Amino acid sequence: MTKDQDMIDLFVIGGGINGAGVARDAAGRGLKVVLCEKDDLAQGTSSRSGKLVHGGLRYLEYYEFRLVREALIEREVLLNAAPHIIWPMRFVLPHSPQDRPAWLVRLGLFLYDHLGGRKKLPGTRTLDLRRDPEGAPLLDQYVKGFEYSDCWVDDARLVVLNALDAAERGAEVLTRSPCISARRENGAWTVETRNEITGEIRSFRARCIVNCAGPWVSDVIGRVAGSHSSRNVRLVKGSHIIVPKWWAGSNAYLVQNHDKRVIFINPYEGDKALIGTTDIAYQGRAEDVTADETEIDYLLAAVNRYFKEKLRREDVLHSFSGVRPLFDDGKGNPSAVTRDYVFDLDQTGGAPLLNVFGGKITTFRELAERGMHRLREIFPAMGPDWTETAPLPGGDMANADYESFAELLRELHPWMPRPLVQHYGRLYGTRTRDVVAGALSLQGLGRHFGGNLYEAEVRYLVAREWALRPDDILYRRTKHYLHLTEDQRREFAEWFDRSDLAQAA
Ligand SMILES: Cc1cc2nc3c(=O)[nH]c(=O)nc-3n(C[C@H](O)[C@H](O)[C@H](O)COP(=O)(O)OP(=O)(O)OC[C@H]3O[C@@H](n4cnc5c(N)ncnc54)[C@H](O)[C@@H]3O)c2cc1C
């Protein structure tokens, strides 16, 4: 067992978006921080979301005006911080008279446009679906529609960039290292982690713990920390399917289903579409969640109600599912449970435990900032708020928009095929130079595994972004899994496992 008994300030449990965001915020305030994640970064819910930085149009129906306003404001804050992995998207909402009246939808969109200090994103427009090109793929019965703005985000990369920023500001980030116990001793915490690869147990002394374990928040409170909370988490499963994209524009669609739920149909990874989601109460282990056939049928049916082109089961290339760790506000209907977050600060014995319930990808930065406010009395000397105007790694484009930056990248690397420059630019932004690492030709990027995957990127991800296994690279740091054949994925995994990279891990 290794002893790391120097006192740290904050021990953060959970390397999803909230844990990574809290670790980043705290490290930037000068606190000594350790973040531990039991699996890979973002392997929990934070790589399985709908990938939208959005106010949440539908939450207006539940009168969640404050939540919507705050999330709308956050859209542009995050867009400025990470313009490589977050970008504006237009959503076409065909009006279906059987579901909600047009005036109600228009009113909702009016509020959506005006609640949240929108500066960069264009506002709503009304569409004539018989004339406007966005209507072309839709069935003729849909004649009126609306188009509004929200933002797209690469959720798993958002987590990694927060962890990277935290580490560059002094935090220690441990992956594949569950927190196995936390005990209060003499006004502080003794925390143990076990490295799942090496078996090493590490022990830390920490003044405070922040529990960002998402769907596992109650497990950490009870089993790990031997504590309790009056708050509860409500686990609600949501699934997505990926199919080949079948419409021409870069816009997304949002359709209303008969059950009043809305389904997103978003362009994804160039030639694909991401369709979701469902809302189903979930009782199993969060690790085991998968999309079941009834959910897939439900999503296909909702889409087929609107489009001329009919999707069939065999069009589904992939599916994935995640568990929302919602704060249990006692509402019966899973769709109605609040998407807001709640803190529970337990100060027993002078060793604080800050438990986080709920939260969205969109609100992680604000959640982290407010979480630190709750700890102000414990760390009176910590630095001020700073994340609202700070870029995330790779997002420091000196106020240039992403397109100007991408143009510059193409000029700097004239030998690179366009899709490859586009891939690096979107994933790594200004850090592309570290990925390319001085290469002057495709050969200089090392072995090619298919699609846009070259050895140089793999080496970067292992050296800088805590990638330890082939799946960390194919599914979370990147989405290469969608662009490689099964054989290519297998060959990559075999190469990785034989390489010096796997030995280093
Ligand atoms: C289907 C679906 C669609 C969604 N769509 C959107 C969307 O479009 N926009 C949006 O803003 N939000 C969306 N959300 C919500 C958002 O994804 C979640 O609120 C968010 O990812 C939760 O992050 P988290 O950090 O709290 O939890 P997680 O990402 O689950 O992170 C918790 C982490 O804690 C780790 N952990 C657990 N126990 C331990 C332990 N003992 N030691 C160490 N680590 C531990 C887990 O492995 C996990 O990685 C969606 C959610 C779902 C399910």
Side-chain angles (χ1 to χ4, degrees):
M1 182 196 291
T2 311
K3 289 275 175 199
D4 298 88
Q5 291 289 13
D6 280 354
M7 181 72 84
I8 61 164
D9 294 314
L10 212 64
F11 192 93
V12 183
I13 303 176
I17 191 57
N18 289 328
V22 167
R24 171 191 185 227
D25 187 309
R29 292 174 194 264
L31 299 187
K32 205 166 167 194
V33 178
V34 173
L35 167 70
C36 87
E37 164 53 49
K38 74 182 176 71
D39 298 311
D40 182 26
L41 292 170
Q43 195 168 331
T45 308
S46 297
S47 59
R48 301 151 186 263
S49 82
K51 306 179 202 315
L52 299 178
V53 168
H54 63 158
L57 182 58
R58 71 175 193 86
Y59 311 145
L60 290 174
E61 277 188 333
Y62 298 104
Y63 299 96
E64 298 247 30
F65 296 114
R66 187 188 51 76
L67 171 67
V68 175
R69 179 180 149 73
E70 288 172 2
L72 286 171
I73 294 171
E74 246 352 69
R75 283 189 314 194
E76 297 207 9
V77 172
L78 297 181
L79 190 56
N80 288 334
H84 49 327
I85 61 160
I86 300 176
W87 59 87
M89 203 176 255
R90 296 287 285 171
F91 291 80
V92 171
L93 207 165
H95 178 244
S96 150
Q98 302 97 300
D99 299 318
R100 289 171 180 86
W103 66 264
L104 184 65
V105 178
R106 190 68 194 84
L107 175 67
L109 287 166
F110 176 83
L111 287 172
Y112 207 67
D113 272 350
H114 293 94
L115 269 178
R118 184 175 49 83
K119 292 192 194 85
K120 282 191 170 176
L121 298 170
T124 298
R125 67 183 183 118
T126 302
L127 298 176
D128 177 345
L129 297 175
R130 288 164 303 193
R131 245 195 18 233
D132 293 318
E134 292 80 1
L138 295 166
L139 290 170
D140 295 338
Q141 72 205 65
Y142 299 103
V143 293
K144 184 173 184 173
F146 304 98
E147 191 193 67
Y148 72 96
S149 292
D150 259 324
C151 290
W152 178 261
V153 61
D154 184 331
D155 52 3
R157 287 209 61 73
L158 188 66
V159 176
V160 172
L161 296 188
N162 273 277
L164 189 56
D165 206 13
E168 290 177 356
R169 293 171 194 276
E172 184 176 3
V173 176
L174 310 172
T175 65
R176 299 222 153 75
S177 298
C179 173
I180 50 173
S181 76
R183 294 185 308 278
R184 289 184 161 106
E185 283 174 354
N186 306 324
W189 286 97
T190 299
V191 186
E192 281 186 350
T193 61
R194 182 183 56 239
N195 185 309
E196 294 292 7
I197 296 174
T198 62
E200 184 193 17
I201 308 265
R202 289 182 62 180
S203 171
F204 300 86
R205 289 282 288 161
R207 294 177 65 193
C208 175
I209 294 180
V210 185
N211 172 7
C212 293
W216 297 267
V217 64
S218 301
D219 176 59
V220 167
I221 296 171
R223 188 182 58 81
V224 177
S227 193
H228 53 83
S229 169
S230 56
R231 315 270 196 202
N232 276 317
V233 72
R234 178 92 176 267
L235 301 183
V236 176
K237 165 188 178 180
S239 298
H240 283 87
I241 54 175
I242 300 170
V243 301
K245 179 169 177 278
W246 70 93
W247 68 100
S250 59
N251 61 284
Y253 289 89
L254 176 65
V255 297
Q256 306 179 64
N257 202 10
H258 286 312
D259 57 5
K260 296 264 187 248
R261 296 191 62 261
V262 290
I263 308 292
F264 287 96
I265 303 153
N266 300 337
Y268 189 45
E269 288 287 305
D271 58 354
K272 304 197 171 38
L274 180 67
I275 300 172
T277 181
T278 53
D279 271 307
I280 298 174
Y282 187 72
Q283 268 94 33
R285 272 172 27 108
E287 288 88 345
D288 300 335
V289 67
T290 52
D292 56 47
E293 286 299 322
T294 50
E295 291 177 280
I296 295 176
D297 290 345
Y298 168 88
L299 292 172
L300 293 174
V303 175
N304 287 342
R305 243 188 92 195
Y306 284 84
F307 287 84
K308 289 176 186 150
E309 171 117 8
K310 297 294 169 224
L311 292 178
R312 293 152 308 159
R313 180 63 182 84
E314 51 271 33
D315 294 318
V316 178
L317 303 170
H318 292 278
S319 64
F320 63 87
S321 195
V323 176
R324 300 175 183 85
L326 304 181
F327 167 62
D328 191 354
D329 59 3
K331 296 256 168 65
N333 172 3
S335 300
V337 178
T338 183
R339 268 46 177 174
D340 211 349
Y341 56 82
V342 167
F343 295 117
D344 172 34
L345 179 59
D346 166 5
Q347 306 228 50
T348 311
L353 169 64
L354 182 66
N355 298 305
V356 177
F357 295 86
K360 295 183 59 66
I361 297 277
T362 308
T363 48
F364 83 91
R365 190 205 63 81
E366 195 206 38
L367 179 153
E369 197 172 81
R370 293 207 178 149
M372 295 314 297
H373 294 171
R374 293 295 298 269
L375 302 179
R376 213 177 249 145
E377 273 180 25
I378 298 145
F379 302 114
M382 74 182 176
D385 295 351
W386 64 278
T387 56
E388 190 175 349
T389 51
L392 280 157
D396 46 341
M397 293 174 188
N399 289 331
D401 59 18
Y402 178 79
E403 290 316 322
S404 323
F405 163 76
E407 190 54 47
L408 181 70
L409 213 52
R410 283 193 285 275
E411 282 168 23
L412 285 171
H413 306 290
W415 49 272
M416 249 187 228
R418 242 182 133 86
L420 187 60
V421 195
Q422 167 86 357
H423 167 71
Y424 288 155
R426 274 292 177 209
L427 270 72
Y428 305 104
T430 57
R431 300 275 169 117
T432 298
R433 63 177 177 268
D434 300 335
V435 179
V436 175
L440 296 170
S441 66
L442 281 180
Q443 286 73 15
L445 295 177
R447 189 170 163 144
H448 180 222
F449 302 98
N452 285 323
L453 182 57
Y454 288 82
E455 186 176 338
E457 184 179 18
V458 179
R459 292 196 173 274
Y460 171 84
L461 293 173
V462 171
R464 306 290 282 276
E465 294 195 1
W466 302 274
L468 294 174
R469 303 243 166 95
D471 282 1
D472 301 352
I473 293 167
L474 296 179
Y475 289 82
R476 286 176 290 276
R477 301 304 177 284
T478 76
K479 292 290 178 273
H480 285 308
Y481 82 97
L482 288 171
H483 307 287
L484 300 186
T485 63
E486 208 179 318
D487 283 348
Q488 287 173 325
R489 292 199 296 265
R490 200 193 53 249
E491 277 164 30
F492 168 68
E494 285 169 4
W495 172 87
F496 186 92
D497 289 339
R498 281 194 317 268
S499 74
D500 55 313
L501 297 169
Q503 325 298 314

